[in-house]
Amino acid sequence: MDSNDMLNFLDFREKTILITGAASGIGLETAKTLHKLNASLILLDVNEEALEILAADLNSERVVPIVCNLSEYDNLNETLKTLLKQTGPINGFVHCAGISSRKPLNVLRPDGFTNVMAVNFFSFEELTRLLTKRSVMQDGGSIVVMSSVSSFRGYKAKTEYCVSKAAVDAFVRCMALELASRKIRINSIQAAEVLTPLARKSREIALQMGSEIADAPLGPSEPYEVANLIAFLLSDATRTITGTGLVIDGGLTV
């Protein structure tokens, strides 16, 4: 990076970023953050109403909202082909789409793992394969995926979710080597509790029921903190950070 640009590395002018799970939670905050940083955005989500609200809120020609069910793998290729004729090649990809589950061992079944893996891992793998074609993502691009401290830390009754995030992080390490020849970086963010609206509601319910909440030393993270980290990893300031999981957990796993 030219020394004259060192203070402007978070300016995404003339860059196009695709975000999944863009209509809620961390994906929503990331979309808003990158929009403020002048990025052109392709926003994917299964929730049409929420996606329309976000697009109206951003109110920009630089935003293309697409209603898409990521678990319908057979349709992804055609969806992206049609989309990229409109937007041109992309510079970055952020996978925020994800689901969770809570099941003890005695009710675990293979199809339950498949349902969670479909969104958390298989869709990410398939999108990475399609989006890193030479005609789609420019060399020097960046991929960021939301993982979790659950990928390396066990939780009762969260097996399906933990396994899916461990798969994500293993995939990131492998893809860092495969994509290095094109200078494409790929990293995950291993987050603990992030206070999205859904997480706040869960907290409120737990407190109302008298449950104890064991916070990390610095407490839970806010969505904007994660969005800032995603923006940093997408930026040109990080050309040698690849294949790693960056932990944002308030000191929970220290």
Side-chain angles (χ1 to χ4, degrees):
M1 182 187 298
D2 189 289
S3 59
N4 293 327
D5 296 329
M6 285 300 292
L7 297 180
N8 299 318
F9 65 83
L10 286 180
D11 188 344
F12 287 84
R13 204 179 310 272
E14 298 183 2
K15 290 195 174 185
T16 300
I17 311 296
L18 185 148
I19 306 172
T20 67
S24 64
I26 293 169
L28 174 65
E29 193 67 30
T30 300
K32 290 180 176 180
T33 297
L34 293 176
H35 184 259
K36 290 176 183 176
L37 295 173
N38 303 310
S40 295
L41 300 174
I42 303 170
L43 306 178
L44 273 60
D45 203 285
V46 71
N47 189 328
E48 182 175 3
E49 182 180 359
L51 198 57
E52 288 177 353
I53 291 172
L54 173 59
D57 183 36
L58 297 179
N59 190 26
S60 171
E61 294 180 355
R62 293 185 284 113
V63 175
V64 179
I66 301 293
V67 179
C68 181
N69 186 339
L70 296 180
S71 62
E72 296 177 353
Y73 312 123
D74 294 341
N75 298 331
L76 285 179
N77 193 29
E78 287 305 313
T79 298
L80 293 175
K81 277 184 180 179
T82 302
L83 178 62
L84 294 167
K85 285 179 182 177
Q86 177 183 350
T87 64
I90 67 171
N91 305 93
F93 163 40
V94 184
H95 190 66
C96 293
I99 59 174
S100 188
S101 71
R102 184 172 292 276
K103 297 177 186 176
L105 176 60
N106 64 328
V107 298
L108 287 178
R109 298 291 185 274
D111 60 345
F113 281 93
T114 300
N115 291 337
V116 175
M117 292 285 282
V119 178
N120 292 4
F121 176 67
F122 294 137
S123 66
F124 174 57
E125 171 275 320
E126 186 66 2
L127 281 168
T128 300
R129 184 180 70 82
L130 295 171
L131 292 173
T132 53
K133 292 180 179 179
R134 290 189 178 274
S135 61
V136 179
M137 181 177 285
Q138 296 185 352
D139 289 0
S142 179
I143 299 169
V144 183
V145 56
M146 283 306 304
S147 183
S148 167
V149 295
S150 301
S151 71
F152 59 85
R153 188 175 194 239
Y155 289 89
K156 287 182 179 179
K158 297 283 288 181
T159 307
E160 293 171 344
Y161 181 76
C162 292
V163 167
S164 73
K165 293 304 185 180
V168 163
D169 285 330
F171 182 75
V172 163
R173 291 190 292 271
C174 294
M175 288 304 102
L177 300 178
E178 290 203 29
L179 298 172
S181 63
R182 292 181 54 203
K183 307 299 182 185
I184 293 176
R185 294 160 285 121
I186 180 170
N187 295 284
S188 72
I189 294 179
Q190 297 168 337
E193 185 180 13
V194 181
L195 291 178
T196 62
L198 184 60
R200 288 184 186 277
K201 186 174 182 180
S202 296
R203 269 188 163 244
E204 290 173 5
I205 293 171
L207 290 172
Q208 288 170 3
M209 294 177 64
S211 302
E212 275 194 29
I213 298 176
D215 275 335
L218 293 182
S221 301
E222 293 287 347
Y224 77 85
E225 298 177 76
V226 181
N228 289 345
L229 183 53
I230 290 172
F232 176 71
L233 289 173
L234 289 172
S235 77
D236 292 333
T238 60
R239 67 180 184 84
T240 57
I241 300 179
T242 194
T244 192
L246 297 189
V247 176
I248 178 168
D249 70 351
L252 178 69
T253 59
V254 170

